[in-house]
Amino acid sequence: MATIPVPAPEAAPAETSGTKIAPVVVAFAIGTAVSIGLGVYGRLHTPTGYAVNISGFSSGPAAKAALASVVMVLAIVQTVTAMAIYGRIRLRGAWLNPVHRWSGRLAILISVPVAVHCLYALGFQAYDGRVIAHSIFGCFLYGAFVFKMLILTRDDSPGWALPLAGGLVLSGLTALWMTAVLYFFFV
Ligand code: HEM
């Protein structure tokens, strides 16, 4: 059977010899604390229940669902550009890193007002399985994001740490989107 040639991961970040695991563990612990902190805040704070109305949208939840979907699309851009940067797909160009960086910045920026409304107005709710899953994934997402940002700032992280952190962010966001937006649009 003919074998498909796998391109060498030319653009993959070089694995440095002096990698350290301790900063990854610390970053993970900080991210975990952020997730737990958000969850505790969402649970202890009395939800205000205030509604937002943004012109052009039929309702506040519709605006949130649209914004969350834009965040999901940007996360897919992040995934594709990350795979290209790591040489996993045949895409090349100097634009890859800036597109990866800016799609990530934009995604987080757009997600914040949605998450603030969720946490402040709705709170961490547990009245059914889907809602508790959404609340958990919402808190998880920002912990994973903090973990990723802390890894990014260090040159001595092992090569697997950044893909792991990016994967956690993507998984959290996908689960969050499915438990809120999919339900909102299709159920
Ligand atoms: C930070 C932690 C978060 C908590 C505790 C939380 C909690 C909640 C709760 C309790 C609901 C109502 C669920 C229902 O009855 O259907 C909800 C809805 C929703 N959430 Fe979140 N959420 C969080 C983060 C996020 C994030 C980061 C996004 C998107 C970027 C998001 C997007 C949505 C959307 C689109 C809805 C449906 C619209 C609505 O009911 O207002 N949430 N959230």
Side-chain angles (χ1 to χ4, degrees), residues 61 64-65 68 111 114-115 118-119 122-125 127 130-131 134-135 138-139 141-142 176 180-181:
K64 285 174 69 180
S111 79
V114 182
C118 281
L119 260 183
L122 306 176
F124 187 110
Q125 297 298 337
Y127 46 80
R130 175 189 62 83
V131 172
H134 172 74
S135 298
C139 299
L141 173 69
Y142 290 99
L176 163 102
V181 183

mmCIF file with all atom_site columns, all heavy atoms in Angstrom, residues 61 64-65 68 111 114-115 118-119 122-125 127 130-131 134-135 138-139 141-142 176 180-181, ligand 1:
data_model
loop_
_atom_site.group_PDB
_atom_site.id
_atom_site.type_symbol
_atom_site.label_atom_id
_atom_site.label_alt_id
_atom_site.label_comp_id
_atom_site.label_asym_id
_atom_site.label_entity_id
_atom_site.label_seq_id
_atom_site.pdbx_PDB_ins_code
_atom_site.Cartn_x
_atom_site.Cartn_y
_atom_site.Cartn_z
_atom_site.occupancy
_atom_site.B_iso_or_equiv
_atom_site.pdbx_formal_charge
_atom_site.auth_seq_id
_atom_site.auth_comp_id
_atom_site.auth_asym_id
_atom_site.auth_atom_id
_atom_site.pdbx_PDB_model_num
ATOM   1   N  N   . PRO A 1 61  ? -30.584 37.044 24.759 1.00 0.00 ? 61  PRO A N   1
ATOM   2   C  CA  . PRO A 1 61  ? -30.013 35.719 24.524 1.00 0.00 ? 61  PRO A CA  1
ATOM   3   C  C   . PRO A 1 61  ? -29.614 35.491 23.068 1.00 0.00 ? 61  PRO A C   1
ATOM   4   O  O   . PRO A 1 61  ? -28.612 34.825 22.794 1.00 0.00 ? 61  PRO A O   1
ATOM   5   C  CB  . PRO A 1 61  ? -31.141 34.774 24.964 1.00 0.00 ? 61  PRO A CB  1
ATOM   6   C  CG  . PRO A 1 61  ? -31.854 35.547 26.019 1.00 0.00 ? 61  PRO A CG  1
ATOM   7   C  CD  . PRO A 1 61  ? -31.809 36.985 25.584 1.00 0.00 ? 61  PRO A CD  1
ATOM   8   N  N   . LYS A 1 64  ? -26.330 37.106 22.590 1.00 0.00 ? 64  LYS A N   1
ATOM   9   C  CA  . LYS A 1 64  ? -25.279 36.300 23.229 1.00 0.00 ? 64  LYS A CA  1
ATOM   10  C  C   . LYS A 1 64  ? -24.953 35.070 22.393 1.00 0.00 ? 64  LYS A C   1
ATOM   11  O  O   . LYS A 1 64  ? -23.779 34.709 22.233 1.00 0.00 ? 64  LYS A O   1
ATOM   12  C  CB  . LYS A 1 64  ? -25.741 35.867 24.628 1.00 0.00 ? 64  LYS A CB  1
ATOM   13  C  CG  . LYS A 1 64  ? -25.700 36.980 25.649 1.00 0.00 ? 64  LYS A CG  1
ATOM   14  C  CD  . LYS A 1 64  ? -26.309 36.542 26.963 1.00 0.00 ? 64  LYS A CD  1
ATOM   15  C  CE  . LYS A 1 64  ? -25.466 35.504 27.666 1.00 0.00 ? 64  LYS A CE  1
ATOM   16  N  NZ  . LYS A 1 64  ? -26.079 35.078 28.948 1.00 0.00 ? 64  LYS A NZ  1
ATOM   17  N  N   . ALA A 1 65  ? -25.982 34.440 21.846 1.00 0.00 ? 65  ALA A N   1
ATOM   18  C  CA  . ALA A 1 65  ? -25.758 33.235 21.033 1.00 0.00 ? 65  ALA A CA  1
ATOM   19  C  C   . ALA A 1 65  ? -24.947 33.592 19.780 1.00 0.00 ? 65  ALA A C   1
ATOM   20  O  O   . ALA A 1 65  ? -24.052 32.846 19.382 1.00 0.00 ? 65  ALA A O   1
ATOM   21  C  CB  . ALA A 1 65  ? -27.090 32.605 20.659 1.00 0.00 ? 65  ALA A CB  1
ATOM   22  N  N   . ALA A 1 68  ? -21.334 34.354 20.875 1.00 0.00 ? 68  ALA A N   1
ATOM   23  C  CA  . ALA A 1 68  ? -20.652 33.092 21.238 1.00 0.00 ? 68  ALA A CA  1
ATOM   24  C  C   . ALA A 1 68  ? -20.305 32.298 19.977 1.00 0.00 ? 68  ALA A C   1
ATOM   25  O  O   . ALA A 1 68  ? -19.273 31.620 19.924 1.00 0.00 ? 68  ALA A O   1
ATOM   26  C  CB  . ALA A 1 68  ? -21.541 32.268 22.170 1.00 0.00 ? 68  ALA A CB  1
ATOM   27  N  N   . SER A 1 111 ? -15.812 37.273 23.929 1.00 0.00 ? 111 SER A N   1
ATOM   28  C  CA  . SER A 1 111 ? -16.454 36.363 24.895 1.00 0.00 ? 111 SER A CA  1
ATOM   29  C  C   . SER A 1 111 ? -16.730 37.044 26.239 1.00 0.00 ? 111 SER A C   1
ATOM   30  O  O   . SER A 1 111 ? -17.659 36.665 26.945 1.00 0.00 ? 111 SER A O   1
ATOM   31  C  CB  . SER A 1 111 ? -15.580 35.127 25.130 1.00 0.00 ? 111 SER A CB  1
ATOM   32  O  OG  . SER A 1 111 ? -14.510 35.415 26.018 1.00 0.00 ? 111 SER A OG  1
ATOM   33  N  N   . VAL A 1 114 ? -20.225 38.480 27.094 1.00 0.00 ? 114 VAL A N   1
ATOM   34  C  CA  . VAL A 1 114 ? -21.199 37.378 27.185 1.00 0.00 ? 114 VAL A CA  1
ATOM   35  C  C   . VAL A 1 114 ? -21.036 36.683 28.537 1.00 0.00 ? 114 VAL A C   1
ATOM   36  O  O   . VAL A 1 114 ? -22.005 36.443 29.259 1.00 0.00 ? 114 VAL A O   1
ATOM   37  C  CB  . VAL A 1 114 ? -20.987 36.367 26.030 1.00 0.00 ? 114 VAL A CB  1
ATOM   38  C  CG1 . VAL A 1 114 ? -22.021 35.262 26.105 1.00 0.00 ? 114 VAL A CG1 1
ATOM   39  C  CG2 . VAL A 1 114 ? -21.037 37.053 24.681 1.00 0.00 ? 114 VAL A CG2 1
ATOM   40  N  N   . ALA A 1 115 ? -19.779 36.396 28.897 1.00 0.00 ? 115 ALA A N   1
ATOM   41  C  CA  . ALA A 1 115 ? -19.515 35.695 30.151 1.00 0.00 ? 115 ALA A CA  1
ATOM   42  C  C   . ALA A 1 115 ? -19.894 36.571 31.357 1.00 0.00 ? 115 ALA A C   1
ATOM   43  O  O   . ALA A 1 115 ? -20.414 36.061 32.345 1.00 0.00 ? 115 ALA A O   1
ATOM   44  C  CB  . ALA A 1 115 ? -18.047 35.302 30.228 1.00 0.00 ? 115 ALA A CB  1
ATOM   45  N  N   . CYS A 1 118 ? -23.501 36.270 31.772 1.00 0.00 ? 118 CYS A N   1
ATOM   46  C  CA  . CYS A 1 118 ? -23.822 34.947 32.324 1.00 0.00 ? 118 CYS A CA  1
ATOM   47  C  C   . CYS A 1 118 ? -23.554 34.907 33.829 1.00 0.00 ? 118 CYS A C   1
ATOM   48  O  O   . CYS A 1 118 ? -24.404 34.520 34.618 1.00 0.00 ? 118 CYS A O   1
ATOM   49  C  CB  . CYS A 1 118 ? -22.986 33.873 31.644 1.00 0.00 ? 118 CYS A CB  1
ATOM   50  S  SG  . CYS A 1 118 ? -23.604 33.390 30.027 1.00 0.00 ? 118 CYS A SG  1
ATOM   51  N  N   . LEU A 1 119 ? -22.350 35.328 34.205 1.00 0.00 ? 119 LEU A N   1
ATOM   52  C  CA  . LEU A 1 119 ? -21.935 35.207 35.607 1.00 0.00 ? 119 LEU A CA  1
ATOM   53  C  C   . LEU A 1 119 ? -22.695 36.166 36.511 1.00 0.00 ? 119 LEU A C   1
ATOM   54  O  O   . LEU A 1 119 ? -23.125 35.807 37.599 1.00 0.00 ? 119 LEU A O   1
ATOM   55  C  CB  . LEU A 1 119 ? -20.447 35.528 35.736 1.00 0.00 ? 119 LEU A CB  1
ATOM   56  C  CG  . LEU A 1 119 ? -19.475 34.362 35.842 1.00 0.00 ? 119 LEU A CG  1
ATOM   57  C  CD1 . LEU A 1 119 ? -18.071 34.883 36.023 1.00 0.00 ? 119 LEU A CD1 1
ATOM   58  C  CD2 . LEU A 1 119 ? -19.845 33.399 36.959 1.00 0.00 ? 119 LEU A CD2 1
ATOM   59  N  N   . LEU A 1 122 ? -26.977 35.837 35.444 1.00 0.00 ? 122 LEU A N   1
ATOM   60  C  CA  . LEU A 1 122 ? -27.599 34.514 35.541 1.00 0.00 ? 122 LEU A CA  1
ATOM   61  C  C   . LEU A 1 122 ? -27.000 33.663 36.655 1.00 0.00 ? 122 LEU A C   1
ATOM   62  O  O   . LEU A 1 122 ? -27.697 32.862 37.261 1.00 0.00 ? 122 LEU A O   1
ATOM   63  C  CB  . LEU A 1 122 ? -27.471 33.780 34.199 1.00 0.00 ? 122 LEU A CB  1
ATOM   64  C  CG  . LEU A 1 122 ? -27.994 34.534 32.969 1.00 0.00 ? 122 LEU A CG  1
ATOM   65  C  CD1 . LEU A 1 122 ? -27.721 33.738 31.700 1.00 0.00 ? 122 LEU A CD1 1
ATOM   66  C  CD2 . LEU A 1 122 ? -29.485 34.821 33.091 1.00 0.00 ? 122 LEU A CD2 1
ATOM   67  N  N   . GLY A 1 123 ? -25.696 33.831 36.874 1.00 0.00 ? 123 GLY A N   1
ATOM   68  C  CA  . GLY A 1 123 ? -25.020 33.080 37.938 1.00 0.00 ? 123 GLY A CA  1
ATOM   69  C  C   . GLY A 1 123 ? -24.687 31.663 37.535 1.00 0.00 ? 123 GLY A C   1
ATOM   70  O  O   . GLY A 1 123 ? -24.973 31.222 36.419 1.00 0.00 ? 123 GLY A O   1
ATOM   71  N  N   . PHE A 1 124 ? -24.029 30.968 38.448 1.00 0.00 ? 124 PHE A N   1
ATOM   72  C  CA  . PHE A 1 124 ? -23.679 29.551 38.235 1.00 0.00 ? 124 PHE A CA  1
ATOM   73  C  C   . PHE A 1 124 ? -24.904 28.749 38.636 1.00 0.00 ? 124 PHE A C   1
ATOM   74  O  O   . PHE A 1 124 ? -25.205 28.609 39.818 1.00 0.00 ? 124 PHE A O   1
ATOM   75  C  CB  . PHE A 1 124 ? -22.469 29.195 39.110 1.00 0.00 ? 124 PHE A CB  1
ATOM   76  C  CG  . PHE A 1 124 ? -21.905 27.823 38.849 1.00 0.00 ? 124 PHE A CG  1
ATOM   77  C  CD1 . PHE A 1 124 ? -20.671 27.677 38.237 1.00 0.00 ? 124 PHE A CD1 1
ATOM   78  C  CD2 . PHE A 1 124 ? -22.605 26.675 39.216 1.00 0.00 ? 124 PHE A CD2 1
ATOM   79  C  CE1 . PHE A 1 124 ? -20.140 26.410 38.002 1.00 0.00 ? 124 PHE A CE1 1
ATOM   80  C  CE2 . PHE A 1 124 ? -22.082 25.414 38.980 1.00 0.00 ? 124 PHE A CE2 1
ATOM   81  C  CZ  . PHE A 1 124 ? -20.847 25.281 38.377 1.00 0.00 ? 124 PHE A CZ  1
ATOM   82  N  N   . GLN A 1 125 ? -25.636 28.265 37.651 1.00 0.00 ? 125 GLN A N   1
ATOM   83  C  CA  . GLN A 1 125 ? -26.907 27.586 37.946 1.00 0.00 ? 125 GLN A CA  1
ATOM   84  C  C   . GLN A 1 125 ? -26.779 26.075 37.799 1.00 0.00 ? 125 GLN A C   1
ATOM   85  O  O   . GLN A 1 125 ? -25.928 25.595 37.037 1.00 0.00 ? 125 GLN A O   1
ATOM   86  C  CB  . GLN A 1 125 ? -28.007 28.102 37.011 1.00 0.00 ? 125 GLN A CB  1
ATOM   87  C  CG  . GLN A 1 125 ? -28.310 29.584 37.197 1.00 0.00 ? 125 GLN A CG  1
ATOM   88  C  CD  . GLN A 1 125 ? -28.832 29.909 38.592 1.00 0.00 ? 125 GLN A CD  1
ATOM   89  O  OE1 . GLN A 1 125 ? -29.364 29.043 39.301 1.00 0.00 ? 125 GLN A OE1 1
ATOM   90  N  NE2 . GLN A 1 125 ? -28.665 31.154 39.013 1.00 0.00 ? 125 GLN A NE2 1
ATOM   91  N  N   . TYR A 1 127 ? -29.865 23.956 37.757 1.00 0.00 ? 127 TYR A N   1
ATOM   92  C  CA  . TYR A 1 127 ? -31.224 23.417 37.781 1.00 0.00 ? 127 TYR A CA  1
ATOM   93  C  C   . TYR A 1 127 ? -31.454 22.265 36.804 1.00 0.00 ? 127 TYR A C   1
ATOM   94  O  O   . TYR A 1 127 ? -32.467 21.605 36.862 1.00 0.00 ? 127 TYR A O   1
ATOM   95  C  CB  . TYR A 1 127 ? -32.289 24.504 37.622 1.00 0.00 ? 127 TYR A CB  1
ATOM   96  C  CG  . TYR A 1 127 ? -32.046 25.521 36.537 1.00 0.00 ? 127 TYR A CG  1
ATOM   97  C  CD1 . TYR A 1 127 ? -32.339 25.239 35.211 1.00 0.00 ? 127 TYR A CD1 1
ATOM   98  C  CD2 . TYR A 1 127 ? -31.517 26.765 36.850 1.00 0.00 ? 127 TYR A CD2 1
ATOM   99  C  CE1 . TYR A 1 127 ? -32.122 26.180 34.232 1.00 0.00 ? 127 TYR A CE1 1
ATOM   100 C  CE2 . TYR A 1 127 ? -31.285 27.712 35.865 1.00 0.00 ? 127 TYR A CE2 1
ATOM   101 C  CZ  . TYR A 1 127 ? -31.592 27.416 34.556 1.00 0.00 ? 127 TYR A CZ  1
ATOM   102 O  OH  . TYR A 1 127 ? -31.361 28.341 33.580 1.00 0.00 ? 127 TYR A OH  1
ATOM   103 N  N   . ARG A 1 130 ? -27.777 20.113 31.644 1.00 0.00 ? 130 ARG A N   1
ATOM   104 C  CA  . ARG A 1 130 ? -27.180 20.957 30.603 1.00 0.00 ? 130 ARG A CA  1
ATOM   105 C  C   . ARG A 1 130 ? -26.683 22.273 31.194 1.00 0.00 ? 130 ARG A C   1
ATOM   106 O  O   . ARG A 1 130 ? -25.587 22.730 30.887 1.00 0.00 ? 130 ARG A O   1
ATOM   107 C  CB  . ARG A 1 130 ? -28.217 21.249 29.504 1.00 0.00 ? 130 ARG A CB  1
ATOM   108 C  CG  . ARG A 1 130 ? -27.724 22.224 28.450 1.00 0.00 ? 130 ARG A CG  1
ATOM   109 C  CD  . ARG A 1 130 ? -28.844 22.645 27.524 1.00 0.00 ? 130 ARG A CD  1
ATOM   110 N  NE  . ARG A 1 130 ? -29.927 23.343 28.196 1.00 0.00 ? 130 ARG A NE  1
ATOM   111 C  CZ  . ARG A 1 130 ? -29.910 24.637 28.485 1.00 0.00 ? 130 ARG A CZ  1
ATOM   112 N  NH1 . ARG A 1 130 ? -28.875 25.375 28.188 1.00 0.00 ? 130 ARG A NH1 1
ATOM   113 N  NH2 . ARG A 1 130 ? -30.944 25.201 29.099 1.00 0.00 ? 130 ARG A NH2 1
ATOM   114 N  N   . VAL A 1 131 ? -27.501 22.870 32.066 1.00 0.00 ? 131 VAL A N   1
ATOM   115 C  CA  . VAL A 1 131 ? -27.145 24.180 32.607 1.00 0.00 ? 131 VAL A CA  1
ATOM   116 C  C   . VAL A 1 131 ? -25.938 24.071 33.541 1.00 0.00 ? 131 VAL A C   1
ATOM   117 O  O   . VAL A 1 131 ? -25.042 24.924 33.496 1.00 0.00 ? 131 VAL A O   1
ATOM   118 C  CB  . VAL A 1 131 ? -28.373 24.820 33.300 1.00 0.00 ? 131 VAL A CB  1
ATOM   119 C  CG1 . VAL A 1 131 ? -27.983 26.074 34.035 1.00 0.00 ? 131 VAL A CG1 1
ATOM   120 C  CG2 . VAL A 1 131 ? -29.447 25.114 32.261 1.00 0.00 ? 131 VAL A CG2 1
ATOM   121 N  N   . HIS A 1 134 ? -22.960 23.720 31.292 1.00 0.00 ? 134 HIS A N   1
ATOM   122 C  CA  . HIS A 1 134 ? -22.602 24.999 30.688 1.00 0.00 ? 134 HIS A CA  1
ATOM   123 C  C   . HIS A 1 134 ? -21.880 25.891 31.704 1.00 0.00 ? 134 HIS A C   1
ATOM   124 O  O   . HIS A 1 134 ? -20.872 26.522 31.393 1.00 0.00 ? 134 HIS A O   1
ATOM   125 C  CB  . HIS A 1 134 ? -23.845 25.710 30.153 1.00 0.00 ? 134 HIS A CB  1
ATOM   126 C  CG  . HIS A 1 134 ? -23.563 27.101 29.699 1.00 0.00 ? 134 HIS A CG  1
ATOM   127 N  ND1 . HIS A 1 134 ? -22.899 27.376 28.525 1.00 0.00 ? 134 HIS A ND1 1
ATOM   128 C  CD2 . HIS A 1 134 ? -23.786 28.309 30.287 1.00 0.00 ? 134 HIS A CD2 1
ATOM   129 C  CE1 . HIS A 1 134 ? -22.751 28.683 28.398 1.00 0.00 ? 134 HIS A CE1 1
ATOM   130 N  NE2 . HIS A 1 134 ? -23.280 29.274 29.457 1.00 0.00 ? 134 HIS A NE2 1
ATOM   131 N  N   . SER A 1 135 ? -22.406 25.939 32.922 1.00 0.00 ? 135 SER A N   1
ATOM   132 C  CA  . SER A 1 135 ? -21.789 26.778 33.953 1.00 0.00 ? 135 SER A CA  1
ATOM   133 C  C   . SER A 1 135 ? -20.363 26.301 34.255 1.00 0.00 ? 135 SER A C   1
ATOM   134 O  O   . SER A 1 135 ? -19.435 27.108 34.368 1.00 0.00 ? 135 SER A O   1
ATOM   135 C  CB  . SER A 1 135 ? -22.631 26.753 35.238 1.00 0.00 ? 135 SER A CB  1
ATOM   136 O  OG  . SER A 1 135 ? -23.923 27.278 34.990 1.00 0.00 ? 135 SER A OG  1
ATOM   137 N  N   . GLY A 1 138 ? -18.096 27.126 31.291 1.00 0.00 ? 138 GLY A N   1
ATOM   138 C  CA  . GLY A 1 138 ? -17.831 28.577 31.228 1.00 0.00 ? 138 GLY A CA  1
ATOM   139 C  C   . GLY A 1 138 ? -16.682 28.942 32.157 1.00 0.00 ? 138 GLY A C   1
ATOM   140 O  O   . GLY A 1 138 ? -15.759 29.676 31.774 1.00 0.00 ? 138 GLY A O   1
ATOM   141 N  N   . CYS A 1 139 ? -16.741 28.426 33.390 1.00 0.00 ? 139 CYS A N   1
ATOM   142 C  CA  . CYS A 1 139 ? -15.683 28.717 34.365 1.00 0.00 ? 139 CYS A CA  1
ATOM   143 C  C   . CYS A 1 139 ? -14.375 28.049 33.935 1.00 0.00 ? 139 CYS A C   1
ATOM   144 O  O   . CYS A 1 139 ? -13.291 28.643 34.032 1.00 0.00 ? 139 CYS A O   1
ATOM   145 C  CB  . CYS A 1 139 ? -16.098 28.245 35.756 1.00 0.00 ? 139 CYS A CB  1
ATOM   146 S  SG  . CYS A 1 139 ? -17.577 29.080 36.339 1.00 0.00 ? 139 CYS A SG  1
ATOM   147 N  N   . LEU A 1 141 ? -13.370 27.425 30.929 1.00 0.00 ? 141 LEU A N   1
ATOM   148 C  CA  . LEU A 1 141 ? -12.775 28.100 29.768 1.00 0.00 ? 141 LEU A CA  1
ATOM   149 C  C   . LEU A 1 141 ? -11.770 29.169 30.197 1.00 0.00 ? 141 LEU A C   1
ATOM   150 O  O   . LEU A 1 141 ? -10.662 29.239 29.676 1.00 0.00 ? 141 LEU A O   1
ATOM   151 C  CB  . LEU A 1 141 ? -13.883 28.738 28.918 1.00 0.00 ? 141 LEU A CB  1
ATOM   152 C  CG  . LEU A 1 141 ? -13.398 29.615 27.771 1.00 0.00 ? 141 LEU A CG  1
ATOM   153 C  CD1 . LEU A 1 141 ? -12.723 28.765 26.696 1.00 0.00 ? 141 LEU A CD1 1
ATOM   154 C  CD2 . LEU A 1 141 ? -14.556 30.388 27.149 1.00 0.00 ? 141 LEU A CD2 1
ATOM   155 N  N   . TYR A 1 142 ? -12.163 29.999 31.181 1.00 0.00 ? 142 TYR A N   1
ATOM   156 C  CA  . TYR A 1 142 ? -11.261 31.100 31.548 1.00 0.00 ? 142 TYR A CA  1
ATOM   157 C  C   . TYR A 1 142 ? -10.049 30.606 32.347 1.00 0.00 ? 142 TYR A C   1
ATOM   158 O  O   . TYR A 1 142 ? -8.968  31.178 32.245 1.00 0.00 ? 142 TYR A O   1
ATOM   159 C  CB  . TYR A 1 142 ? -12.038 32.215 32.269 1.00 0.00 ? 142 TYR A CB  1
ATOM   160 C  CG  . TYR A 1 142 ? -12.939 32.903 31.270 1.00 0.00 ? 142 TYR A CG  1
ATOM   161 C  CD1 . TYR A 1 142 ? -14.272 32.594 31.173 1.00 0.00 ? 142 TYR A CD1 1
ATOM   162 C  CD2 . TYR A 1 142 ? -12.407 33.803 30.350 1.00 0.00 ? 142 TYR A CD2 1
ATOM   163 C  CE1 . TYR A 1 142 ? -15.082 33.162 30.203 1.00 0.00 ? 142 TYR A CE1 1
ATOM   164 C  CE2 . TYR A 1 142 ? -13.199 34.383 29.379 1.00 0.00 ? 142 TYR A CE2 1
ATOM   165 C  CZ  . TYR A 1 142 ? -14.530 34.053 29.309 1.00 0.00 ? 142 TYR A CZ  1
ATOM   166 O  OH  . TYR A 1 142 ? -15.311 34.611 28.332 1.00 0.00 ? 142 TYR A OH  1
ATOM   167 N  N   . LEU A 1 176 ? -18.971 24.434 25.955 1.00 0.00 ? 176 LEU A N   1
ATOM   168 C  CA  . LEU A 1 176 ? -19.759 25.584 26.404 1.00 0.00 ? 176 LEU A CA  1
ATOM   169 C  C   . LEU A 1 176 ? -20.749 26.010 25.322 1.00 0.00 ? 176 LEU A C   1
ATOM   170 O  O   . LEU A 1 176 ? -21.924 26.282 25.581 1.00 0.00 ? 176 LEU A O   1
ATOM   171 C  CB  . LEU A 1 176 ? -18.763 26.708 26.688 1.00 0.00 ? 176 LEU A CB  1
ATOM   172 C  CG  . LEU A 1 176 ? -19.247 28.114 26.790 1.00 0.00 ? 176 LEU A CG  1
ATOM   173 C  CD1 . LEU A 1 176 ? -19.302 28.459 28.241 1.00 0.00 ? 176 LEU A CD1 1
ATOM   174 C  CD2 . LEU A 1 176 ? -18.343 29.057 26.082 1.00 0.00 ? 176 LEU A CD2 1
ATOM   175 N  N   . ALA A 1 180 ? -25.022 25.758 25.329 1.00 0.00 ? 180 ALA A N   1
ATOM   176 C  CA  . ALA A 1 180 ? -25.794 27.004 25.379 1.00 0.00 ? 180 ALA A CA  1
ATOM   177 C  C   . ALA A 1 180 ? -26.367 27.334 24.002 1.00 0.00 ? 180 ALA A C   1
ATOM   178 O  O   . ALA A 1 180 ? -27.581 27.416 23.822 1.00 0.00 ? 180 ALA A O   1
ATOM   179 C  CB  . ALA A 1 180 ? -24.919 28.157 25.875 1.00 0.00 ? 180 ALA A CB  1
ATOM   180 N  N   . VAL A 1 181 ? -25.489 27.481 23.010 1.00 0.00 ? 181 VAL A N   1
ATOM   181 C  CA  . VAL A 1 181 ? -25.939 28.006 21.717 1.00 0.00 ? 181 VAL A CA  1
ATOM   182 C  C   . VAL A 1 181 ? -26.700 26.950 20.914 1.00 0.00 ? 181 VAL A C   1
ATOM   183 O  O   . VAL A 1 181 ? -27.775 27.231 20.373 1.00 0.00 ? 181 VAL A O   1
ATOM   184 C  CB  . VAL A 1 181 ? -24.744 28.556 20.913 1.00 0.00 ? 181 VAL A CB  1
ATOM   185 C  CG1 . VAL A 1 181 ? -25.215 29.155 19.613 1.00 0.00 ? 181 VAL A CG1 1
ATOM   186 C  CG2 . VAL A 1 181 ? -23.985 29.583 21.733 1.00 0.00 ? 181 VAL A CG2 1
HETATM 187 C  C1  . HEM B 2 .   ? -18.186 32.207 33.100 1.00 0.00 ? 1   HEM B C1  1
HETATM 188 C  C2  . HEM B 2 .   ? -18.997 31.243 33.452 1.00 0.00 ? 1   HEM B C2  1
HETATM 189 C  C3  . HEM B 2 .   ? -20.398 31.097 32.890 1.00 0.00 ? 1   HEM B C3  1
HETATM 190 C  C4  . HEM B 2 .   ? -21.514 30.795 33.621 1.00 0.00 ? 1   HEM B C4  1
HETATM 191 C  C5  . HEM B 2 .   ? -21.552 30.532 35.111 1.00 0.00 ? 1   HEM B C5  1
HETATM 192 C  C6  . HEM B 2 .   ? -22.632 30.761 32.716 1.00 0.00 ? 1   HEM B C6  1
HETATM 193 C  C7  . HEM B 2 .   ? -23.949 30.504 33.069 1.00 0.00 ? 1   HEM B C7  1
HETATM 194 C  C8  . HEM B 2 .   ? -25.044 30.556 32.221 1.00 0.00 ? 1   HEM B C8  1
HETATM 195 C  C9  . HEM B 2 .   ? -26.404 30.242 32.587 1.00 0.00 ? 1   HEM B C9  1
HETATM 196 C  C10 . HEM B 2 .   ? -26.888 29.833 33.975 1.00 0.00 ? 1   HEM B C10 1
HETATM 197 C  C11 . HEM B 2 .   ? -27.163 30.362 31.464 1.00 0.00 ? 1   HEM B C11 1
HETATM 198 C  C12 . HEM B 2 .   ? -28.682 30.137 31.337 1.00 0.00 ? 1   HEM B C12 1
HETATM 199 C  C13 . HEM B 2 .   ? -28.845 28.731 30.787 1.00 0.00 ? 1   HEM B C13 1
HETATM 200 C  C14 . HEM B 2 .   ? -30.243 28.437 30.318 1.00 0.00 ? 1   HEM B C14 1
HETATM 201 O  O1  . HEM B 2 .   ? -31.180 28.505 31.134 1.00 0.00 ? 1   HEM B O1  1
HETATM 202 O  O2  . HEM B 2 .   ? -30.367 28.126 29.135 1.00 0.00 ? 1   HEM B O2  1
HETATM 203 C  C15 . HEM B 2 .   ? -26.294 30.754 30.380 1.00 0.00 ? 1   HEM B C15 1
HETATM 204 C  C16 . HEM B 2 .   ? -26.706 30.966 29.073 1.00 0.00 ? 1   HEM B C16 1
HETATM 205 C  C17 . HEM B 2 .   ? -25.869 31.247 28.022 1.00 0.00 ? 1   HEM B C17 1
HETATM 206 N  N1  . HEM B 2 .   ? -24.502 31.390 28.075 1.00 0.00 ? 1   HEM B N1  1
HETATM 207 FE FE1 . HEM B 2 .   ? -23.351 31.226 29.753 1.00 0.00 ? 1   HEM B FE1 1
HETATM 208 N  N2  . HEM B 2 .   ? -22.172 31.043 31.450 1.00 0.00 ? 1   HEM B N2  1
HETATM 209 C  C18 . HEM B 2 .   ? -20.818 31.256 31.511 1.00 0.00 ? 1   HEM B C18 1
HETATM 210 C  C19 . HEM B 2 .   ? -19.972 31.567 30.454 1.00 0.00 ? 1   HEM B C19 1
HETATM 211 C  C20 . HEM B 2 .   ? -20.378 31.735 29.148 1.00 0.00 ? 1   HEM B C20 1
HETATM 212 C  C21 . HEM B 2 .   ? -19.497 32.068 28.049 1.00 0.00 ? 1   HEM B C21 1
HETATM 213 C  C22 . HEM B 2 .   ? -17.990 32.256 28.166 1.00 0.00 ? 1   HEM B C22 1
HETATM 214 C  C23 . HEM B 2 .   ? -20.273 32.122 26.927 1.00 0.00 ? 1   HEM B C23 1
HETATM 215 C  C24 . HEM B 2 .   ? -19.876 32.398 25.503 1.00 0.00 ? 1   HEM B C24 1
HETATM 216 C  C25 . HEM B 2 .   ? -18.779 32.943 25.106 1.00 0.00 ? 1   HEM B C25 1
HETATM 217 C  C26 . HEM B 2 .   ? -21.638 31.851 27.309 1.00 0.00 ? 1   HEM B C26 1
HETATM 218 C  C27 . HEM B 2 .   ? -22.708 31.839 26.438 1.00 0.00 ? 1   HEM B C27 1
HETATM 219 C  C28 . HEM B 2 .   ? -24.030 31.665 26.807 1.00 0.00 ? 1   HEM B C28 1
HETATM 220 C  C29 . HEM B 2 .   ? -25.146 31.714 25.901 1.00 0.00 ? 1   HEM B C29 1
HETATM 221 C  C30 . HEM B 2 .   ? -25.081 32.000 24.416 1.00 0.00 ? 1   HEM B C30 1
HETATM 222 C  C31 . HEM B 2 .   ? -26.309 31.451 26.651 1.00 0.00 ? 1   HEM B C31 1
HETATM 223 C  C32 . HEM B 2 .   ? -27.768 31.376 26.116 1.00 0.00 ? 1   HEM B C32 1
HETATM 224 C  C33 . HEM B 2 .   ? -28.390 32.722 26.167 1.00 0.00 ? 1   HEM B C33 1
HETATM 225 C  C34 . HEM B 2 .   ? -28.952 33.071 27.558 1.00 0.00 ? 1   HEM B C34 1
HETATM 226 O  O3  . HEM B 2 .   ? -29.661 32.247 28.146 1.00 0.00 ? 1   HEM B O3  1
HETATM 227 O  O4  . HEM B 2 .   ? -28.663 34.178 28.032 1.00 0.00 ? 1   HEM B O4  1
HETATM 228 N  N3  . HEM B 2 .   ? -21.653 31.622 28.667 1.00 0.00 ? 1   HEM B N3  1
HETATM 229 N  N4  . HEM B 2 .   ? -25.007 30.873 30.878 1.00 0.00 ? 1   HEM B N4  1
#
